[in-house]
């Protein structure tokens, strides 16, 4: 049964089938589900409360370049112990998520060192601020501080802030060091201050839980971080300051104009670069023979493929899955048996290559599974389920833990393919040679079949053929399903990668999941049920408008989720309260 | 006791570098000196991965716990703790779920966010609500060679459940963190007045930054509770960084005695210290996510060095709270060489981890004899940490050792083969609040954690922080002295 037929059969009630599943195999749709906002009267869908998000390494470098014209050195961009530490994908897929960012002294240390370095070499006159000496002229000093601060903090400074930085300026001048050094000192302080280091939004502007539209500066900041991975430019700031742009419906046309303008700017490619880098996780490539250069080439090829299809060809997002063009660096082309045409990344037609179709069979994506040697069905399957269906696997059910232990012991000498077959067999009725024990297969059936098609590719993404080393056929046929029971009639089977990728392109679940990923990336928050809820309407909107990257960006930026926030809890609960006991050990 | 520092003083550290003194006009040092005043409360967690089977833990010193025998009268052992709440609410594999339940108690929010703070953070905040009494608030160090969810290697969890810093692996960096950054040698071209002026300006800049953070976390801020918590952690990091630039005067004066640090610390060779992220290239023949094969002796030597640095730092009252990780939670480690434990026999790491990790070869296959040998090896490392703390050459004002005057909590992330009952923990030291011995009654880890903090007058709050899971701890009175 094809996926479209599944939709007719189960519709949006598929999620309700969870309760009937033998085990709840998937976690809350959307992701970790740790931050579900309240459902508000008058609002169909809830939105996220705000959360401070520390600038990533790239965002910091981009802002310093875009606002101050300072190019960080290689050491300042990447050296361990000197650069801003990389985020380690703490939650969800994207490094720009504010949720679960690790703490550590390395972060304030790096921001402090870089602040001193940048402030020391910035061309103050080239900033376009009022460069006249301000000593003794308080108003002039305040104006300079306010202008610089608005650019770096992404919002106007309060009077308190202006006074505080003016006081710093004055104290440096009082040391006899002059206006320039005083300004550099103010800059150094601003580059470490909370509104620069963190992406902040007003979280107390409404009653707790109440939704409000973002103000102009907040929306400008969200737009610029989404599309440029950086701070707003002068035009966005001007629109915010004049109240022409904000998150309310009255500003939708202005917002869409800005989105189009920003997409035309070369900086918009930072968005796709970061998105595909995090989605594909190509840096996890671990196969024998991998080198730093090859890993970089795989990642760059993946990005180039994405860009070529979505930017140059203005292709649809869904046709990423079925495209027969791949951008490949010379080393990556050679990896999969193509003779490189040049020393540069080029687009190659791969239709003649067996089973090579769509971005998911790009070696950069397959290598991103991070397998060491042979492909790992369970590992790959879970990765595909998370990335393509936005489902999280949850705990092994109580009854299955012991079964898993004895299964692992009994079949310790089998390879992954054989173990997968054993799990399928166990679930079958005794009359069919099974043991009528679905405790493993009930969950594994959700993700293992997604990985079967990839059995024909090794850890480097090279095509292995259709048989294994012993000549036995590789199990490469699998299925997709939106159903969470073991109902085999609910499956959409595939035998070839072309069939598989066509199912994915047509799958509403998968395409809505892509919308969810863009929502998560755009708002800088790990996906929860809230993003999941919005993904459906965003998917419909972007498909209606052509299904391209541009359509997706517009749909995401126009969504109420992107334009709104909900007020957060301001004060902590007062002290631990005794609760009813769990039931004891 | 506050001491005013001269801004004119520059001290020579190891080699040719100078260690700069603070920018402050006057620097207050910790008001408690471990050698002369009241004994402070300290808490150190020691963790190791993959668990000890209950039957082996209950062999006492005839099994893998033998290395702890010299400390028998200072330790309590728990072989039947329960951590099943981790399974009820967690996500992902066992190690992801339990890694951030260890020393926290409540189930995780997710594999990247614990329900709340780890034990040493609770004691730090409850006993010092105004802020850390020492130059560094807490320190996390240890050896880990996995990547993925922080729950597998982070031991320090903040109050908002976010992970603290990853444990520092390199002894050299740990030394620097504790004893200060050396500054480039003074070139002699700037006058002392110019240097002093630069320091004052730096101080002004830092003060300005700190004021902005204080405002951002104050009641006048427009931020919510979670955001303030993040900024507060960052603020603490700024303070820690500020303090790192200041060597302890105690450590650098002629009368420093036991607080004098040795020469700068070297890192033992042979460990893949930079196996930090999937970006790090691996040597040929090494496949992720395993560690590179490591000489088992070098591994424990490195851990021992870290433990000694911790002991020195505790002795000098540079910090009072910390965590040491010996082997990561659910880690895929590979070792080389042979190790012999007197009570358990010899394990040949070359053979046992020729093609796979300790985790898969021993624990997944439930090879109990080899598990006992491996954990004897791990316990030997933890015992070396206790040895460093129990140095009889450093006796505090109450006549006791640093170990006696520190609450050391030892734990692991699960029981046998991903089970969440029969989880092993141990307690050492504890300021005389606890009895020694083997305790085999069943109890939840929350019961133990809450009981451990009670004698310090601390209401832990463990069992109240998770949105869905609530638990009222039962006092384990049998362990209280």
């Amino acid at each position: 049964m094809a996926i479209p037929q599944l939709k007719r059969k189960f519709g949006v009630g598929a999620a309700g089938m969870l309760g009937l599943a033998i085990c709840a195999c998937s976690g809350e749709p959307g992701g970790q589900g740790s931050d579900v906002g309240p459902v508000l009267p008058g609002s169909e869908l809830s939105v996220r409360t705000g959360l401070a998000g520390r600038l990533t390494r790239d965002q910091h470098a981009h802002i310093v370049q875009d606002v101050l014209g300072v190019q960080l050195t290689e050491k300042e961009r990447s050296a361990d112990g000197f650069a801003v530490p990389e985020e380690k994908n703490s939650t969800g897929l994207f490094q720009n998520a504010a949720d679960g960012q690790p703490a550590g002294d390395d972060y304030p240390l790096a921001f402090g060192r870089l602040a001193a370095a940048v402030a020391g070499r910035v061309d103050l006159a080239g900033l376009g601020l009022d460069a006249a000496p301000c000593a003794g002229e308080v108003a002039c000093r305040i104006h300079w501080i306010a202008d610089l601060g608005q650019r770096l903090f992404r919002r106007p400074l309060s009077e308190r802030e202006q006074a505080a930085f003016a006081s710093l300026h004055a104290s440096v001048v009082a040391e006899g060091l002059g206006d320039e050094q005083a300004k550099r000192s103010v800059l150094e302080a601003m580059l470490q201050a909370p509104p620069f280091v963190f992406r902040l939004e007003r979280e107390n502007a409404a009653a707790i839980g109440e939704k409000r539209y973002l103000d102009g500066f907040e929306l400008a900041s969200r737009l610029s971080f989404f599309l440029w991975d950086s701070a707003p430019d002068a035009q966005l700031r001007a629109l915010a300051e004049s109240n022409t742009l904000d998150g309310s419906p009255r500003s939708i046309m202005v917002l869409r104009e800005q989105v189009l303008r920003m997409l035309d700017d070369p900086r918009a490619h930072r968005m796709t670069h970061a998105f595909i880098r995090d989605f594909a996780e190509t840096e996890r490539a671990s196969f024998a023979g991998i080198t730093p250069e090859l890993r970089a080439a795989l990642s760059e090829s993946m990005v180039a493929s994405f860009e070529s299809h979505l930017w140059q060809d203005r292709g649809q997002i869904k046709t990423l899955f079925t495209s027969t063009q791949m951008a490949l660096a010379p080393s990556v082309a050679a990896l999969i048996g193509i003779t490189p045409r040049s020393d540069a990344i080029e687009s190659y037609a791969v239709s003649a290559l067996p089973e090579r179709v769509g971005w998911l069979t790009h070696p950069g994506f397959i290598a991103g599974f991070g397998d060491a040697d042979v492909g790992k069905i369970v590992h790959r399957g879970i990765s595909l389920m998370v990335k393509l269906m936005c489902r999280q696997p949850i705990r092994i059910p109580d009854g299955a833990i012991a079964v898993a232990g004895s299964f692992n012991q009994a079949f310790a000498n089998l390879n992954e393919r054989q173990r997968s077959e054993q799990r399928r067999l166990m679930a079958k009725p005794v009359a069919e040679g099974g043991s009528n024990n679905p405790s493993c297969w009930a969950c594994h059936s959700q993700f293992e079949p997604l990985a079967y098609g990839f059995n024909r590719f090794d850890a480097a993404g090279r095509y292995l053929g259709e048989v294994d080393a012993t000549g036995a056929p590789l199990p490469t046929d699998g299925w997709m399903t939106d159903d969470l029971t073991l109902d085999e009639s609910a499956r959409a089977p595939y035998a070839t990668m072309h069939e598989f990728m066509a199912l994915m392109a047509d799958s509403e679940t998968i395409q809505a999941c892509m919308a969810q990923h863009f929502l998560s990336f755009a708002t800088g928050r790990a996906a929860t049920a809230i993003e999941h809820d919005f993904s459906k309407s965003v998917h419909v909107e972007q498909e209606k408008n052509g299904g391209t990257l541009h359509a997706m960006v517009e749909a995401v930026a126009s969504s109420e989720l992107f334009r709104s926030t909900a007020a957060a809890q301001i004060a902590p609960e007062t002290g631990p309260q005794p609760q009813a006991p769990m039931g004891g050990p | 006791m506050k001491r005013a520092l001269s801004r004119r003083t520059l001290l020579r550290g190891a080699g040719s570098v100078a260690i700069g003194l603070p920018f402050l006009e006057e620097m207050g040092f910790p008001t408690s000196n471990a050698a002369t005043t009241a004994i402070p409360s300290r808490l150190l967690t020691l963790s190791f991965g993959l668990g000890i089977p209950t039957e082996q833990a209950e062999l006492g010193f005839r099994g893998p716990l033998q290395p702890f025998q010299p400390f028998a009268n200072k330790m309590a052992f728990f072989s039947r703790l329960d951590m099943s709440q981790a399974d009820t609410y967690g996500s992902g594999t066992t190690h992801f779920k339990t890694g951030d339940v260890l020393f926290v108690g409540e189930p995780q929010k997710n594999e990247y966010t614990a329900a709340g703070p780890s034990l040493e953070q609770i004691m730090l905040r409850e006993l010092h609500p105004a802020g850390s009494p020492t130059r560094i608030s807490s320190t996390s160090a240890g050896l880990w060679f996995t990547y993925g969810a922080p729950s597998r290697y982070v031991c320090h969890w903040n109050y908002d459940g976010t992970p603290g810093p990853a444990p520092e692996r390199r002894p050299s960096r740990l030394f620097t963190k504790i004893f200060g950054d050396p500054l480039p040698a003074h070139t002699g071209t700037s006058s002392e007045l110019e240097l002093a002026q630069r320091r004052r300006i730096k101080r002004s800049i830092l003060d300005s930054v700190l004021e902005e953070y204080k405002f951002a976390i104050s009641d006048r801020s427009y931020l919510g509770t979670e955001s303030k918590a993040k900024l507060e952690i960052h603020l603490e990091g700024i303070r820690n960084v500020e303090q790192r630039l200041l060597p302890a005067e105690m450590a650098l004066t002629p009368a420093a005695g036991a607080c004098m640090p040795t020469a700068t610390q070297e890192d033992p060779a042979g460990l893949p210290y930079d196996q930090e992220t999937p970006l790090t290239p691996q040597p040929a023949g090494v496949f992720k996510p395993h560690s590179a094969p490591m000489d088992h002796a070098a591994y424990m030597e490195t851990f021992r060095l870290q433990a000694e640095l911790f002991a020195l730092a505790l002795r000098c009252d540079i910090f009072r709270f910390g965590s040491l990780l010996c082997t990561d939670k659910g880690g895929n480690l590979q070792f080389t060489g042979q190790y012999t434990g007197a009570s358990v026999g010899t394990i040949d790491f070359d053979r046992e981890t020729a093609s796979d990790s300790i985790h898969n070869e021993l624990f997944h296959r439930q090879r109990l004899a080899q598990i006992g040998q491996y954990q004897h090896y791990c316990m030997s490392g933890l015992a070396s940490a206790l040895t460093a703390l129990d140095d009889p050459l450093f006796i505090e004002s109450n006549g006791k050792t640093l170990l006696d005057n520190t609450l050391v909590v030892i734990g692991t992330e699960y029981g046998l083969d991903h089970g969440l009952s029969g989880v092993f923990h141990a307690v050492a030291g504890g300021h005389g609040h606890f009895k020694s011995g083997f305790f085999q009654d069943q109890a939840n880890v929350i019961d133990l954690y809450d009981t451990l903090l009670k004698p310090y007058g601390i209401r832990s709050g463990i069992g109240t922080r998770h949105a869905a899971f609530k638990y009222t701890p039962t006092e384990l009175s049998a362990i209280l002295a």
Side-chain angles (χ1 to χ4, degrees):
Chain A
M1 185 187 296
I3 293 292
Q5 290 172 287
L6 281 177
K7 188 183 175 195
R8 282 201 295 278
K9 179 176 179 181
F10 294 112
V12 295
M17 300 292 283
L18 265 172
L20 302 179
I22 292 172
C23 71
C25 298
S26 286
E28 182 174 323
Q32 281 75 19
S34 63
D35 181 11
V36 179
V39 176
L40 306 164
S43 300
E44 256 192 61
L45 297 175
S46 50
V47 298
R48 299 295 293 268
T49 54
L51 179 65
R54 185 182 53 227
L55 295 181
T56 66
R57 172 189 288 187
D58 282 349
Q59 287 168 345
H60 176 270
H62 293 152
I63 294 174
V64 162
Q65 181 180 337
D66 295 344
V67 175
L68 300 175
V70 173
Q71 185 84 20
L72 296 183
T73 65
E74 185 60 34
K75 180 180 178 182
E76 290 167 344
R77 279 296 300 264
S78 59
D80 186 31
F82 205 91
V84 174
E86 277 196 314
E87 301 295 334
K88 295 184 188 289
N89 278 6
S90 57
T91 60
L93 282 177
F94 304 109
Q95 291 188 23
N96 69 355
D99 311 86
Q101 289 182 306
D105 294 355
D106 288 347
Y107 290 97
L109 182 65
F111 278 107
R113 278 182 174 153
L114 291 170
V118 169
R121 64 176 190 264
V122 68
D123 175 11
L124 289 175
L127 292 180
L129 303 168
D130 180 359
C134 298
E137 299 174 12
V138 175
C140 178
R141 182 187 313 158
I142 296 284
H143 174 76
W144 189 91
I145 288 170
D147 196 353
L148 176 67
Q150 189 191 89
R151 299 183 190 194
L152 291 176
F153 290 1
R154 287 90 66 182
R155 58 156 176 78
L157 268 61
S158 65
E159 285 187 8
R160 183 200 65 79
E161 287 169 326
Q162 292 176 27
F165 288 111
S167 172
L168 172 61
H169 184 286
S171 66
V172 177
V173 168
E175 288 278 352
L177 287 174
D179 179 62
E180 180 183 330
Q181 184 55 51
K183 283 176 175 171
R184 292 186 188 280
S185 296
V186 166
L187 175 58
E188 184 176 338
M190 284 185 175
L191 289 172
Q192 301 175 75
F196 174 76
V197 173
F198 292 88
R199 296 175 55 185
L200 302 176
E201 293 169 354
R202 285 177 303 123
E203 298 177 21
N204 65 348
I208 292 177
E210 197 172 290
K211 185 174 66 178
R212 69 167 178 89
Y213 294 114
L214 298 176
D215 68 27
F217 283 97
E218 291 169 334
L219 184 62
S221 188
R222 278 205 189 178
L223 280 172
S224 65
F225 278 105
F226 173 26
L227 290 168
W228 292 343
D229 209 27
S230 184
D233 66 356
Q235 188 168 347
L236 280 172
R237 294 197 308 271
L239 288 169
E241 197 156 29
S242 63
N243 289 322
T244 311
L245 174 72
D246 62 28
S248 69
R250 71 176 179 91
S251 292
I252 281 286
M253 292 311 299
V254 176
L255 182 150
R256 288 185 174 146
E257 286 169 6
Q258 289 304 302
V259 166
L260 290 175
R261 176 182 74 87
M262 295 172 78
L263 283 171
D264 275 343
D265 190 296
R267 284 175 287 184
H269 290 260
R270 294 172 180 166
M271 166 193 53
T272 42
H273 188 281
F275 185 94
I276 195 62
R277 175 201 63 201
D278 290 350
F279 184 87
E281 298 184 285
T282 308
E283 72 277 4
R284 294 171 65 93
S286 307
F287 53 87
I290 187 73
T291 62
E293 294 75 25
L294 182 54
R295 191 180 281 113
L298 282 163
S299 183
E300 287 160 9
S301 300
M302 195 71 203
V303 170
S305 283
F306 198 69
E307 295 236 322
S308 171
H309 181 86
L310 294 177
W311 283 100
Q312 293 161 21
D313 300 341
R314 291 292 177 110
Q316 293 181 315
I317 290 176
K318 66 161 65 174
T319 55
L320 276 169
F321 292 84
T322 52
S323 170
T324 54
Q325 291 286 126
M326 283 184 187
L328 303 167
S331 55
V332 178
L335 187 69
I336 61 172
I338 297 176
T339 303
R341 284 198 294 265
S342 71
D343 292 336
I345 293 178
E346 291 209 27
S347 184
Y348 294 86
V350 297
S351 53
L353 297 180
E355 303 298 330
R356 194 76 65 175
V357 57
W359 69 324
L360 298 186
T361 64
H362 192 292
F365 183 82
I366 297 175
F369 285 130
D371 298 322
D373 38 37
V374 299
K376 305 287 187 184
I377 289 177
V378 170
H379 172 66
R380 286 181 171 189
I382 290 175
S383 179
L384 288 165
M385 184 170 76
V386 169
K387 289 184 180 180
L388 299 179
M389 311 194 85
C390 290
R391 289 194 195 131
Q392 297 282 338
I394 64 171
R395 66 179 178 88
I396 300 174
D398 287 339
I401 292 178
V403 174
S406 59
F407 179 93
N408 287 337
Q409 258 191 315
F411 300 116
N413 294 323
L414 298 185
N415 61 33
E416 278 240 18
R417 172 179 63 79
Q418 293 163 333
R419 288 151 73 93
S420 181
E421 287 176 2
Q422 286 299 322
R423 281 190 282 268
R424 290 167 68 171
L425 186 63
M426 277 170 58
K428 289 184 179 295
V430 172
E432 295 178 32
S435 53
N436 203 28
N437 184 353
S439 52
C440 297
W441 190 239
C443 282
H444 279 253
S445 62
Q446 302 305 315
F447 49 81
E448 286 191 16
L450 298 174
Y452 289 163
F454 290 86
N455 273 342
R456 42 172 67 88
F457 299 104
D458 72 1
R462 288 174 289 227
Y463 178 63
L464 289 170
E466 303 298 312
V467 297
D468 65 18
T470 68
L474 282 168
T476 53
D477 57 321
W479 61 86
M480 282 174 43
T481 178
D482 279 339
D483 189 82
L484 299 174
T485 69
L486 296 179
D487 182 2
E488 295 196 7
S489 67
R491 296 172 184 170
Y494 65 85
T496 67
M497 291 305 281
H498 287 78
E499 292 174 4
F500 192 11
M501 294 300 118
L503 286 175
M504 288 202 184
D506 284 341
S507 165
E508 293 289 316
T509 298
I510 288 178
Q511 297 309 318
C513 179
M514 292 303 298
Q516 181 180 306
H517 289 318
F518 272 96
L519 280 165
S520 173
F521 180 84
T523 56
R525 299 295 303 272
T528 64
I530 294 177
E531 282 75 17
H532 179 78
D533 288 341
F534 275 95
S535 68
K536 298 165 199 147
S537 57
V538 166
H539 162 57
V540 167
E541 177 78 11
Q542 68 94 19
E543 256 207 345
K544 187 179 71 177
N545 291 321
T548 61
L549 172 68
H550 287 59
M552 176 68 83
V553 167
E554 259 195 85
V556 165
S558 303
S559 71
E560 197 165 76
L561 179 64
F562 188 82
R563 295 181 288 110
S564 308
T565 186
Q569 182 182 8
I570 301 303
E573 292 177 8
T574 50
Q577 300 298 317
Q579 300 287 337
M582 181 187 81
Chain B
M1 177 172 59
K2 281 199 170 183
R3 308 183 194 189
L5 292 180
S6 165
R7 287 188 277 110
R8 300 164 64 88
T9 305
L10 274 175
L11 297 169
R12 289 280 153 193
S16 62
V17 297
I19 299 178
L21 278 184
F23 312 122
L24 296 172
E25 294 289 331
E26 178 180 325
M27 181 60 196
F29 276 89
T31 55
S32 71
N33 179 314
T36 60
T37 63
I39 303 301
S41 295
R42 310 177 180 102
L43 198 160
L44 183 61
T45 65
L46 302 182
S47 47
F48 66 99
L50 304 177
I52 298 181
T54 303
E55 61 194 83
Q56 294 188 346
E58 293 183 351
L59 288 174
F61 301 129
R62 293 174 291 119
L65 301 184
Q66 183 194 32
F68 292 128
Q69 191 160 18
F71 311 100
N73 64 343
K74 301 187 180 190
M75 292 189 72
F77 300 92
F78 307 87
S79 53
R80 294 181 184 233
L81 295 177
D82 181 80
M83 200 188 270
S84 55
Q85 61 268 25
D87 204 25
T88 310
Y89 293 93
S91 63
T93 69
T94 302
H95 309 288
F96 290 165
K97 287 182 293 192
T98 57
D100 52 5
V101 177
L102 178 61
F103 303 135
V104 172
E106 291 157 283
Q108 57 176 217
K109 290 178 189 172
N110 55 61
E111 61 215 73
Y112 311 99
T113 312
S118 44
L119 285 176
E120 83 287 355
Q121 300 304 314
I122 295 177
M123 184 179 276
L124 167 60
R125 180 176 288 202
E126 291 297 317
L127 296 185
H128 307 286
S132 171
T134 54
R135 189 157 61 79
I136 296 175
S137 57
S138 68
T139 302
S140 187
L143 297 175
W144 55 280
F145 298 97
T146 186
Y147 59 84
S151 56
R152 295 177 74 160
Y153 53 86
V154 165
C155 306
H156 161 173
W157 296 94
N158 297 306
Y159 262 79
D160 65 352
T162 56
E168 178 55 66
R169 282 188 279 217
R170 288 183 177 271
S172 60
R173 284 197 201 142
L174 182 61
F175 179 95
T176 302
K177 281 187 176 179
I178 295 173
F179 295 107
D181 270 331
L183 297 177
H186 181 38
T187 60
T189 56
S190 297
S191 68
E192 284 188 353
L193 284 175
E194 286 176 352
L195 275 172
Q197 185 185 60
R198 280 212 290 272
R199 290 195 196 110
R200 285 197 299 272
I201 292 170
K202 276 291 186 184
R203 180 74 258 174
S204 295
I205 292 171
L206 191 56
D207 283 346
S208 170
V209 173
L210 291 172
E211 282 306 310
E212 292 306 308
Y213 278 93
K214 287 174 191 169
F215 180 86
I217 63 174
S218 72
D219 292 340
R220 294 172 294 162
S221 164
Y222 55 73
L223 297 177
T225 308
E226 275 196 81
S227 293
K228 285 184 186 177
K230 285 187 78 168
L231 265 60
E232 188 165 359
I233 292 166
H234 194 90
L235 169 62
E236 189 171 305
I238 294 176
R239 288 195 181 117
N240 283 344
V241 167
E242 177 191 8
Q243 299 299 315
R244 273 178 53 184
L245 298 175
L246 316 174
E249 186 183 69
M250 224 187 313
L252 296 167
T253 59
C259 278
M260 180 70 75
T262 58
T264 50
Q265 189 62 60
E266 298 288 325
D267 298 324
L271 298 190
Y273 294 106
D274 296 321
Q275 181 177 334
E276 292 186 21
T277 73
L279 288 171
T280 306
Q282 294 296 295
V286 174
F287 302 112
K288 293 175 189 171
H290 303 157
S291 72
M294 301 174 284
D295 175 64
H296 75 282
Y299 187 98
M300 275 312 168
E301 173 63 16
T302 305
F303 182 75
R304 185 188 65 77
L305 287 171
Q306 294 177 340
E308 288 186 356
L309 286 172
F310 261 56
L312 184 58
L314 290 172
R315 197 178 301 156
C316 299
D317 209 25
I318 296 175
F319 57 80
R320 298 176 188 172
F321 307 98
S323 56
L324 270 171
L325 174 68
C326 186
T327 52
D328 51 51
K329 295 162 268 190
N332 284 309
L333 305 176
Q334 289 183 292
F335 294 107
T336 62
Q338 293 187 349
Y339 170 82
T340 298
S343 59
V344 296
T346 300
I347 182 169
D348 184 339
F349 284 120
D350 291 302
R351 187 179 65 227
E352 299 296 350
T353 61
S355 58
D356 209 327
S357 67
I358 292 287
H359 188 170
N360 291 331
E361 289 297 327
L362 304 191
F363 287 81
H364 278 183
R365 296 176 187 270
Q366 298 191 33
R367 298 173 60 205
L368 295 179
Q370 288 77 11
I371 289 174
Q373 290 157 356
Y374 171 68
Q375 292 298 26
H376 189 288
Y377 163 70
C378 292
M379 297 309 106
S380 72
L382 299 184
S384 71
L386 301 185
T387 300
L389 293 170
D390 207 33
D391 188 347
L393 296 179
F394 182 74
I395 300 297
E396 301 205 275
S397 60
N398 62 353
K400 302 212 178 273
T401 68
L402 200 58
L403 175 61
D404 296 323
N405 291 330
T406 302
L407 174 57
V408 179
V409 188
I410 299 172
T412 183
E413 84 279 19
Y414 70 25
L416 175 63
D417 193 25
H418 304 83
L420 296 177
S421 58
V423 179
F424 171 82
H425 276 47
V427 172
H431 303 83
H433 292 310
F434 310 104
K435 295 176 184 171
S436 59
F438 289 84
F439 297 90
Q440 298 178 358
D441 292 339
Q442 292 188 337
N444 195 284
V445 289
I446 294 178
D447 299 327
L448 175 65
Y449 299 158
D450 188 72
T451 301
L452 292 177
L453 294 176
K454 268 190 177 168
Y456 297 90
I458 294 172
R459 286 180 66 203
S460 72
I462 304 175
T464 65
R465 296 188 177 94
H466 193 276
F469 171 83
K470 303 298 176 188
Y471 185 86
T472 301
T474 299
E475 182 181 275
L476 302 182
S477 53
I479 73 168
L480 294 173

